[in-house]
Amino acid sequence: MTLWRIRATVDDRPGYLSVLTASLALRGVNILTVQVQPTEQGAVDDFLVDAPDALDEAELIAAVERGRGRDCWVARSEARGLADQPTRVLGLANRLVRDPDATGEALRTLLAADVVSWRPASVGVERGITGASMLLADPAGGSFALRRAAPDFTPAEYARAQALVELAATVARRAAEQVTVVLPDGAEVAVRPASARDLSGVVELHEACSPRSRQRRYLGGAALPQPARLRRLLEPSRGLTLIASTTGSDGTAESVVAMANLLGEGDEAEVALLVRDDWQRRGLGSALLRRLVQHADRSGYAALVLHIQATNDPMLRTLHRLGRPAATERDGGLLTLTVPLAVAAPADRKGAFAAPGV
């Protein structure tokens, strides 16, 4: 028996796929996998089949056409084709997480492309598919151009390829956004944008903080915030959350030691910090606050707002070290400080996070 890949377009009508599979079965062809990809011309069915050695390409095409298939393409396959498409895509995604520079090779493997090239962004270039050619937008700038001899690309393949490119760009951006901050006492911490994956580490951070530290952060009490609230803080709809973490000298898993939140509301952004007790008074809060201010400046916010207990001297000192004037309003034991920012020109405003300098 010989492995073949068969691709054919079938009218998207009840029973038509069964007619095609019956025609193949009459020639002793065993269908191992099938993928159905909707297109404007009909359903494109992609088969991996095991066929008798005596059958050649022309006979397979004839069997497909007798089964009401059209625009048939047939090619021999290898044993690696037995891996189903989701497994192959997950494997390529795992590779890109480890090496985002391998995007071109991953695209070639995913789509069996003959040529994959990157080109700078060009005005007026239409991205999409044209027969056996594909042009993908690279979120980092430019485009990926793919070509293969046959078969024509489908919209589903374009969507898969674009998702893979965006994954690689996200991984590369995350790696670039992470920085190592050296504190005045020589300690080093990694600072990066937070994500939903950091929930367990942030829960541990809150558990390790004293009730006094949690009360200073949340004002309303010292109780541990619910996980749902922490998830919203990790990925705010507008703004940015940074986490600071350390890794043990023996390579043990990282430990989150601080969280800094910038939550956008209109043209202002509210700022709040939580630093683990044993990392307080070491300059970490100041380093995180400076990065949030830089991000707010670049994002075009008009002002920062901080709600601080009047007795929270460490946070007041941190804000003082920022070196920016702040208007203060007092309501009992609560201070509201407003720090004006230089409003960025409209052309400088970005909807996505732009990593600030250290």
Side-chain angles (χ1 to χ4, degrees):
M1 303 290 281
T2 305
L3 292 175
W4 294 84
R5 277 192 61 204
I6 299 175
R7 178 173 289 192
T9 302
V10 180
D11 288 340
D12 193 8
R13 297 170 60 182
Y16 272 54
L17 178 57
S18 63
V19 172
L20 174 54
T21 57
S23 180
L24 291 172
L26 288 173
R27 301 305 307 269
V29 177
N30 182 30
I31 297 175
L32 302 176
T33 66
V34 60
Q35 295 180 61
V36 180
Q37 305 179 43
T39 70
E40 293 180 354
Q41 292 74 37
V44 173
D45 297 324
D46 203 338
F47 300 95
L48 177 67
V49 304
D50 195 7
D53 294 334
L55 284 183
D56 58 20
E57 180 178 332
E59 290 173 306
L60 285 171
I61 292 175
V64 170
E65 292 176 344
R66 281 194 296 270
R68 298 179 180 175
R70 61 182 187 278
D71 302 325
C72 184
W73 171 83
V74 175
R76 287 183 180 271
S77 184
E78 301 175 358
R80 63 182 180 181
L82 292 171
D84 66 313
Q85 186 70 10
T87 300
R88 294 179 64 239
V89 172
L90 288 172
L92 292 172
N94 181 56
R95 177 179 178 182
L96 289 179
V97 168
R98 291 182 282 108
D99 182 14
D101 291 334
T103 305
E105 180 60 23
L107 289 171
R108 188 195 67 77
T109 302
L110 174 69
L111 300 176
D114 298 317
V115 178
V116 178
S117 59
W118 185 89
R119 60 182 64 172
S122 301
V123 177
V125 174
E126 187 70 24
R127 293 179 174 85
I129 53 177
T130 304
S133 297
M134 179 185 297
L135 194 63
L136 294 161
D138 181 358
S143 305
F144 284 97
L146 293 78
R147 295 198 310 274
R148 66 187 182 195
D152 290 350
F153 290 116
T154 66
E157 288 179 314
Y158 179 84
R160 292 170 191 160
Q162 188 64 64
L164 209 61
V165 169
E166 291 173 0
L167 171 64
T170 298
V171 172
R173 185 173 64 251
R174 289 254 175 211
E177 288 169 354
Q178 177 166 316
V179 298
T180 298
V181 175
V182 181
L183 302 180
D185 62 4
E188 296 183 0
V189 293
V191 177
R192 59 175 173 80
S195 72
R197 296 190 303 273
D198 296 309
L199 179 60
S200 61
V202 168
V203 169
E204 292 175 0
L205 164 67
H206 283 74
E207 291 173 343
C209 286
S210 66
R212 184 183 186 189
S213 291
R214 293 197 297 266
Q215 186 177 42
R216 284 176 166 177
R217 164 60 181 85
Y218 294 101
L219 304 178
L224 292 171
Q226 292 297 313
R229 183 181 184 185
L230 292 178
R231 288 191 190 95
R232 291 193 296 270
L233 289 175
L234 286 173
E235 294 185 318
S237 57
R238 287 191 61 211
L240 171 70
T241 291
L242 297 175
I243 63 169
S245 61
T246 61
T247 303
S249 58
D250 57 353
T252 54
E254 74 170 14
S255 175
V256 178
V257 297
M259 178 178 72
N261 306 109
L262 180 82
L263 308 177
E265 184 67 35
D267 61 353
E268 295 181 340
E270 182 179 342
V271 171
L273 304 177
L274 178 67
V275 179
R276 206 171 73 188
D277 292 58
D278 56 330
W279 282 84
Q280 294 175 12
R281 302 177 184 272
R282 300 174 66 177
L284 178 55
S286 297
L288 292 172
L289 182 59
R290 284 196 298 270
R291 292 183 65 80
L292 290 184
V293 171
Q294 290 169 352
H295 173 74
D297 271 332
R298 297 188 182 194
S299 298
Y301 290 107
L304 297 181
V305 177
L306 299 91
H307 302 292
I308 304 172
Q309 291 176 341
T311 57
N312 190 351
D313 292 333
M315 187 63 188
L316 291 172
R317 285 195 296 269
T318 297
L319 185 60
H320 178 72
R321 283 192 290 269
L322 192 61
R324 299 203 181 198
T328 304
E329 295 180 8
R330 182 162 187 157
D331 182 5
L334 180 66
L335 301 178
T336 298
L337 297 94
T338 303
V339 181
L341 300 175
V343 180
D348 295 331
R349 296 186 184 181
K350 301 182 185 295
F353 169 65
V358 179

